Structures are given as structure tokens and as C-alpha cells.
Amino acid sequence: KKNRYIDNQRQRLRSLEAEVQRLKSSTQDTKPAPQMDKFDSVIDYMKADQSYTLDQKLAEQAQAAQLSNLEAQKQLVRQEQTQAMAETMSELLNSNPDVKTVITKNSSIIQGMPPHIEALMYEIDDAPAATYALAKEGRLQDLYYMPQHIAAAHLVQAEIRGQQYLQQSARPRQTAPEPIGSLKGTGVKQKSIGSMSADEIVKRYI
């Protein structure tokens, strides 16, 4: 369910971004500006020009309002993604001592994460696991200086390693069974059945 939610949020964000780009690149479907030689008088031309200017401003305002609304929706989705990642990390910090140690030790590096790496974190399913793996291996900061496409590949691999680390730490440690102590009794060594006589077998078992 969590992975499905993350994927849905990513799809929603991509859809909003595509709509933003479409609006920014679209040209307003308006009539051409009035030309003086098309009117019988200057008064008529001026009226037409004022009407045209007003229509242009209204169209620009409408587009700006649409873009503002889309940006607000994008911001909301990003906040929801951030909250989901924070909750997952909080669960790991509270349940896994090694995660707490590693993340605490690397907190200043994590806080200094550059925007292009932070954006990549939203594109994978388990950013906390990837962060944990890279921090545990001492390779998190190296990621900050990589080109984005190379960093993305490293993040996908780190996500897998991080999940493996978490699975390993979640397994209960197997302890060796206690050695079987010597049988209590008289200390007299007993014969095996094969070395007993018929009378001895009868005495013991019958």
C-alpha cells in the first residue's frame, strides 16, 4: 500500500508539472491586434485597441491564476511526499538502533543535501533505505557531486542495499543451543543392548 501511494503521488506530480509546462508554452488564442488602416476613424481604432488590450490582460491574468493553482497543488503533493518519507524514517529510527546511530552521525550531511539529489529522492520508492545505506557505507556525500543521471543509478542500487541491511538487522540472532549435560544417576556405565545377555535384558525391560 505504501509503495502504491508513493507511486500515485509521483504520477500526480508529473501530471501537474506537464500541465504547467503546457500552459507556459501555449500561446493565447486571441484575435490579432487592430490595425489603424482597417478603421474609418481614429475613435473607432482607439476603442478597438483598448478592447484588445483589456482582453489580453484578462487572458494573462487567467493564465497566471491557473499556473498559481497548479504550483500550489504541486507544493501540496511535495509536502505529502516529504511527510510520508519523514514518517518512514521516524519508524526506522525508533525501531532500529543502527539506523539511529548512522543517521544521527550523518545528520549534518543529510541536512546539506543539494536540491538535485533531494529531487531524485522523491523518484525512488524507499528514500530512507537508500539514505541509510549510503550513510552507513560513508558514500552519501559522494553522491552530491555526481551528475544527476549517475546519482540516480547509485540511488536505485543503494535503495536495494538499504532494504537488505534492514532485513538483516530485523532477523533475530540465532543462539547456539545449550550443551546437553551429563545424565544424573549413579555414575555407573550401563551396557548397550547388544552386549547384554538374555537374563539382563529380561531384568531391565520386562
Coordinates of all heavy atoms in Angstrom, one line a residue, residues 57-95:
K57 N -4.9 41.4 -21.2 CA -4.7 41.4 -19.8 C -5.5 40.4 -19.0 O -5.0 39.7 -18.2 CB -4.9 42.8 -19.2 CG -3.9 43.8 -19.6 CD -4.2 45.2 -19.0 CE -3.1 46.2 -19.3 NZ -3.3 47.5 -18.7
L58 N -6.8 40.3 -19.4 CA -7.6 39.3 -18.8 C -7.2 37.9 -19.0 O -7.2 37.0 -18.2 CB -9.1 39.5 -19.3 CG -9.8 40.7 -18.8 CD1 -11.2 40.8 -19.5 CD2 -9.9 40.8 -17.3
A59 N -6.7 37.6 -20.3 CA -6.2 36.3 -20.6 C -4.9 36.0 -19.9 O -4.7 34.9 -19.4 CB -5.9 36.2 -22.1
E60 N -4.0 37.0 -19.7 CA -2.8 36.8 -19.0 C -3.1 36.5 -17.5 O -2.4 35.7 -16.9 CB -1.9 38.0 -19.1 CG -1.3 38.2 -20.5 CD -0.6 39.5 -20.7 OE1 -0.5 40.3 -19.7 OE2 -0.1 39.7 -21.8
Q61 N -4.1 37.3 -17.0 CA -4.4 37.1 -15.6 C -5.0 35.7 -15.3 O -4.7 35.0 -14.3 CB -5.4 38.1 -15.1 CG -4.8 39.5 -15.0 CD -5.9 40.6 -14.7 OE1 -7.1 40.3 -14.6 NE2 -5.4 41.8 -14.6
A62 N -5.8 35.2 -16.3 CA -6.4 33.9 -16.2 C -5.3 32.8 -16.2 O -5.4 31.8 -15.4 CB -7.4 33.6 -17.3
Q63 N -4.4 33.0 -17.1 CA -3.3 32.0 -17.2 C -2.4 32.0 -15.9 O -2.0 31.0 -15.4 CB -2.4 32.3 -18.4 CG -1.3 31.3 -18.6 CD -0.4 31.6 -19.8 OE1 0.2 32.7 -19.7 NE2 -0.3 30.7 -20.7
A64 N -2.2 33.2 -15.4 CA -1.4 33.3 -14.2 C -2.1 32.7 -13.0 O -1.5 32.0 -12.2 CB -1.1 34.8 -13.9
A65 N -3.4 32.8 -13.0 CA -4.2 32.2 -11.9 C -4.1 30.7 -12.0 O -4.0 29.9 -11.0 CB -5.6 32.7 -11.9
Q66 N -4.2 30.1 -13.2 CA -4.1 28.7 -13.4 C -2.8 28.2 -13.0 O -2.7 27.1 -12.4 CB -4.4 28.4 -14.9 CG -5.8 28.5 -15.3 CD -6.0 28.1 -16.8 OE1 -5.6 28.8 -17.7 NE2 -6.6 27.0 -17.0
L67 N -1.7 28.9 -13.4 CA -0.3 28.5 -13.0 C -0.2 28.5 -11.5 O 0.5 27.6 -11.0 CB 0.7 29.4 -13.7 CG 0.9 29.2 -15.2 CD1 1.8 30.3 -15.8 CD2 1.5 27.8 -15.5
S68 N -0.7 29.5 -10.9 CA -0.6 29.6 -9.4 C -1.3 28.5 -8.7 O -0.8 27.9 -7.8 CB -1.2 31.0 -9.0 OG -1.1 31.1 -7.6
N69 N -2.4 28.1 -9.3 CA -3.2 27.0 -8.7 C -2.4 25.7 -8.9 O -2.4 24.8 -7.9 CB -4.6 26.9 -9.4 CG -5.4 25.8 -8.8 OD1 -5.6 25.7 -7.6 ND2 -5.9 24.9 -9.7
L70 N -1.8 25.5 -10.0 CA -1.1 24.3 -10.3 C 0.2 24.2 -9.4 O 0.5 23.1 -8.9 CB -0.7 24.2 -11.8 CG -1.8 23.9 -12.8 CD1 -1.3 24.1 -14.2 CD2 -2.4 22.5 -12.6
E71 N 0.8 25.3 -9.3 CA 2.0 25.3 -8.4 C 1.7 25.0 -7.0 O 2.4 24.3 -6.2 CB 2.7 26.7 -8.5 CG 3.4 27.0 -9.8 CD 4.6 26.0 -10.1 OE1 5.0 25.4 -9.2 OE2 5.0 26.0 -11.3
A72 N 0.5 25.5 -6.5 CA 0.0 25.2 -5.2 C -0.2 23.8 -5.0 O 0.1 23.2 -3.9 CB -1.2 26.1 -4.8
Q73 N -0.8 23.1 -6.0 CA -1.1 21.7 -5.9 C 0.2 20.9 -5.9 O 0.3 19.9 -5.2 CB -2.0 21.3 -7.1 CG -3.4 21.8 -7.1 CD -4.2 21.3 -8.3 OE1 -4.3 20.1 -8.5 NE2 -4.7 22.2 -9.1
K74 N 1.2 21.3 -6.7 CA 2.5 20.7 -6.7 C 3.1 20.8 -5.3 O 3.7 19.8 -4.8 CB 3.4 21.3 -7.7 CG 3.1 20.9 -9.2 CD 4.0 21.7 -10.2 CE 5.5 21.6 -9.8 NZ 6.3 22.4 -10.8
Q75 N 3.0 21.9 -4.7 CA 3.6 22.1 -3.4 C 2.9 21.2 -2.4 O 3.6 20.6 -1.5 CB 3.5 23.6 -3.0 CG 4.1 23.9 -1.6 CD 5.6 23.8 -1.7 OE1 6.2 23.9 -2.8 NE2 6.2 23.6 -0.5
L76 N 1.6 21.1 -2.5 CA 0.9 20.2 -1.6 C 1.3 18.7 -1.7 O 1.5 18.0 -0.7 CB -0.6 20.3 -1.8 CG -1.5 19.5 -0.9 CD1 -1.3 19.8 0.5 CD2 -3.0 19.7 -1.3
V77 N 1.5 18.3 -2.9 CA 1.9 16.9 -3.2 C 3.3 16.7 -2.6 O 3.6 15.7 -2.0 CB 1.8 16.6 -4.7 CG1 2.5 15.2 -5.0 CG2 0.4 16.6 -5.2
R78 N 4.2 17.7 -2.9 CA 5.6 17.5 -2.4 C 5.6 17.5 -0.8 O 6.3 16.7 -0.2 CB 6.4 18.7 -2.9 CG 7.9 18.6 -2.5 CD 8.5 17.5 -3.2 NE 8.9 17.8 -4.6 CZ 9.2 16.9 -5.5 NH1 9.1 15.6 -5.2 NH2 9.6 17.3 -6.7
Q79 N 4.7 18.3 -0.2 CA 4.6 18.2 1.3 C 4.2 16.8 1.7 O 4.6 16.3 2.7 CB 3.7 19.3 1.8 CG 4.3 20.7 1.6 CD 3.2 21.8 2.0 OE1 2.1 21.5 2.3 NE2 3.7 23.0 2.0
E80 N 3.2 16.3 1.0 CA 2.7 14.9 1.4 C 3.8 13.9 1.2 O 3.9 13.0 2.0 CB 1.5 14.6 0.5 CG 0.3 15.4 0.8 CD -0.9 15.2 -0.1 OE1 -0.7 14.5 -1.1 OE2 -2.0 15.7 0.1
Q81 N 4.6 14.0 0.1 CA 5.7 13.1 -0.1 C 6.7 13.2 1.0 O 7.2 12.2 1.6 CB 6.4 13.4 -1.4 CG 5.6 13.0 -2.6 CD 6.3 13.3 -3.9 OE1 6.7 14.4 -4.1 NE2 6.4 12.3 -4.8
T82 N 7.0 14.5 1.4 CA 8.0 14.7 2.5 C 7.5 14.1 3.8 O 8.3 13.5 4.5 CB 8.3 16.2 2.6 OG1 8.7 16.7 1.4 CG2 9.3 16.5 3.7
Q83 N 6.2 14.3 4.1 CA 5.7 13.8 5.3 C 5.7 12.2 5.3 O 6.1 11.6 6.4 CB 4.2 14.2 5.4 CG 3.5 13.7 6.7 CD 4.1 14.3 8.0 OE1 4.7 15.3 7.9 NE2 3.9 13.6 9.0
A84 N 5.4 11.6 4.2 CA 5.5 10.1 4.1 C 6.9 9.6 4.4 O 7.1 8.7 5.1 CB 5.0 9.7 2.8
M85 N 7.9 10.3 3.8 CA 9.3 9.9 4.0 C 9.7 10.1 5.4 O 10.5 9.3 6.0 CB 10.2 10.6 3.0 CG 10.2 10.1 1.6 SD 11.6 10.7 0.6 CE 11.3 12.5 0.5
A86 N 9.3 11.2 6.0 CA 9.6 11.5 7.4 C 9.1 10.5 8.3 O 9.7 10.1 9.3 CB 9.2 12.9 7.8
E87 N 7.8 10.0 8.1 CA 7.2 9.0 8.9 C 7.9 7.7 8.8 O 8.1 7.0 9.8 CB 5.7 8.9 8.5 CG 4.9 10.1 8.9 CD 3.4 9.9 8.4 OE1 3.2 8.9 7.7 OE2 2.6 10.8 8.7
T88 N 8.4 7.3 7.6 CA 9.1 6.1 7.4 C 10.4 6.1 8.1 O 10.8 5.2 8.8 CB 9.3 5.8 5.9 OG1 8.1 5.7 5.3 CG2 10.1 4.5 5.7
M89 N 11.1 7.3 8.0 CA 12.4 7.4 8.7 C 12.2 7.4 10.2 O 13.1 6.8 10.9 CB 13.1 8.7 8.2 CG 14.5 8.9 8.9 SD 15.7 7.6 8.5 CE 16.2 8.1 6.8
S90 N 11.2 8.0 10.7 CA 10.9 8.1 12.1 C 10.7 6.6 12.7 O 11.2 6.3 13.7 CB 9.7 8.9 12.4 OG 9.4 8.9 13.8
E91 N 10.0 5.8 11.9 CA 9.7 4.4 12.3 C 11.0 3.7 12.4 O 11.2 2.9 13.3 CB 8.8 3.8 11.3 CG 7.4 4.3 11.3 CD 6.5 3.7 10.2 OE1 7.0 2.9 9.4 OE2 5.3 4.1 10.1
L92 N 11.9 3.9 11.4 CA 13.2 3.2 11.4 C 14.1 3.7 12.6 O 14.7 2.8 13.2 CB 13.9 3.4 10.1 CG 13.3 2.8 8.8 CD1 14.0 3.3 7.6 CD2 13.2 1.3 8.9
L93 N 14.1 4.9 12.8 CA 14.9 5.5 13.9 C 14.5 4.9 15.3 O 15.3 4.7 16.1 CB 14.8 7.0 13.9 CG 15.5 7.7 12.8 CD1 15.2 9.2 12.8 CD2 17.0 7.6 12.8
N94 N 13.2 4.7 15.4 CA 12.6 4.2 16.7 C 12.7 2.7 16.8 O 12.6 2.2 18.0 CB 11.2 4.7 16.8 CG 11.0 6.2 17.0 OD1 11.9 6.8 17.6 ND2 9.9 6.7 16.5
S95 N 12.9 2.0 15.7 CA 12.8 0.5 15.8 C 14.2 -0.1 15.5 O 14.4 -1.3 15.8 CB 11.8 0.0 14.8 OG 12.2 0.3 13.5

